[in-house]
Amino acid sequence: MPQAITLVDTLKRLLKSRGITYGELAARIGMSEASVKRMFSQKNFTLQRLDQILDAAGIGFDELNAAQGGPKLVAQLTLAQEKEIIGDPQLLVVAVSAMNHIGFDDIVRTYTLSEAQVTACLLRLDKIGFLELLPNNRVKLLIARTFSWIANGPIQSYFRSEAAADYLNARFDGAGEVLGLVNVMLSKQSSAALIERLKQVAADIAQQHQIDARVPLDQKQAMSFMLAARPWVPHAFQALLRQPSPSEQSS
């Protein structure tokens, strides 16, 4: 019983960190807010209900386990590990597929990889510590919810080059597409506040990814969201900037 109480308390803490209220959770799982409050106060619900709550909140069992003091999940790979993954296109495809909760059979159906090739890649990712390969080719991810590739590292650099050469080479006027470039003049305080809002948007997208993890693959599509912001003046504008006079430079 003490372990169950600890689990429920941990779950409450994770829900609070995501800003999910009892009312919002109730709406997601089709219960009344009063019933949800009673369930948590009594610290008594079935495994099926627990699974439903985790799914609705975008919380994995691994994250719940780690939050209780279980095995620490990987927040970032080493440079050598990233180089190993980016050095093999098949390994990269399987790694990204695993991150997107695409199962073994769906990987084989989607890509021109044999079962043996996918298994070999999963074994390499298991050795790296990216995931754990379980019986029947099931996968347990060992990466944290906050996992990220190394800034300007091998994999991030690869996707940046792909974005410049391929991702942005589109009109962005189709269904489910949008592109906006907003140039503004902001105070440092406003800029910092907006950066934090963008980070929250990224966290919301990651949470929705977890919520949709169990949706069948044929009912989902790969989506990429690019969030970027930095102080920037186009080169053409910079060329026309007035240079400070000698007196201004010395003052």
Side-chain angles (χ1 to χ4, degrees):
M1 186 65 177
Q3 289 184 339
I5 292 175
T6 300
L7 183 147
V8 174
D9 288 339
T10 302
L11 180 56
K12 288 169 65 176
R13 189 171 69 252
L14 289 173
L15 290 171
K16 184 176 180 180
S17 69
R18 283 166 163 74
I20 300 175
T21 64
Y22 285 146
E24 185 176 352
L25 179 62
R28 292 185 184 184
I29 63 177
M31 293 180 65
S32 68
E33 183 175 355
S35 296
V36 170
K37 287 182 177 179
R38 182 168 57 253
M39 185 169 58
F40 274 89
S41 65
Q42 295 176 351
K43 303 182 188 297
N44 182 25
F45 40 82
T46 66
L47 288 176
Q48 183 178 4
R49 183 65 73 185
L50 173 62
D51 189 54
Q52 186 181 21
I53 291 171
L54 293 176
D55 192 32
I59 301 172
F61 276 107
D62 293 340
E63 184 178 358
L64 182 62
N65 179 49
Q68 291 185 91
K72 188 175 181 180
L73 301 178
V74 178
Q76 199 168 67
L77 298 179
T78 66
L79 181 63
Q81 289 169 335
E82 281 204 8
K83 285 183 176 179
E84 180 177 353
I85 291 176
I86 201 65
D88 185 339
Q90 293 183 1
L91 190 62
L92 177 62
V93 163
V94 174
V96 173
S97 296
M99 288 181 67
N100 287 324
H101 305 287
I102 300 176
F104 182 91
D105 292 338
D106 283 326
I107 295 175
V108 174
R109 279 193 291 266
T110 303
Y111 299 100
T112 56
L113 299 176
S114 67
E115 292 186 359
Q117 288 173 318
V118 175
T119 300
C121 289
L122 290 174
L123 286 170
R124 288 174 64 186
L125 292 171
D126 183 294
K127 185 176 180 181
I128 288 173
F130 187 83
L131 53 79
E132 181 181 353
L133 182 58
L134 303 174
N136 300 318
N137 291 316
R138 292 181 297 112
V139 166
K140 175 182 178 182
L141 286 174
L142 298 180
I143 57 176
R145 181 174 175 270
T146 56
F147 176 83
S148 64
W149 303 114
I150 299 172
N152 299 313
I155 294 180
Q156 197 176 87
S157 296
Y158 166 80
F159 281 110
R160 184 181 294 118
S161 66
E162 285 293 298
D166 183 25
Y167 182 75
L168 292 175
N169 185 27
R171 293 172 58 89
F172 286 91
D173 56 359
E177 297 182 358
V178 63
L179 174 65
L181 177 61
V182 183
N183 295 306
V184 292
M185 298 291 288
L186 298 174
S187 67
K188 290 184 178 180
Q189 292 82 359
S190 296
S191 297
L194 287 173
I195 290 293
E196 290 305 312
R197 285 174 60 184
L198 285 177
K199 290 180 180 178
Q200 184 56 52
V201 170
D204 292 343
I205 293 171
Q207 180 177 336
Q208 191 62 52
H209 169 69
Q210 294 294 331
I211 293 173
D212 289 355
R214 298 188 182 184
V215 176
L217 182 61
D218 60 3
Q219 297 179 27
K220 296 190 289 187
Q221 62 180 351
M223 290 289 292
S224 293
F225 296 84
M226 180 178 290
L227 303 177
R230 73 178 181 94
W232 177 67
V233 176
H235 287 298
F237 287 26
Q238 292 184 33
L240 296 175
L241 289 175
R242 292 187 184 278
Q243 299 300 315
S245 65
S247 59
E248 291 174 324
Q249 289 179 334
S250 60
S251 61

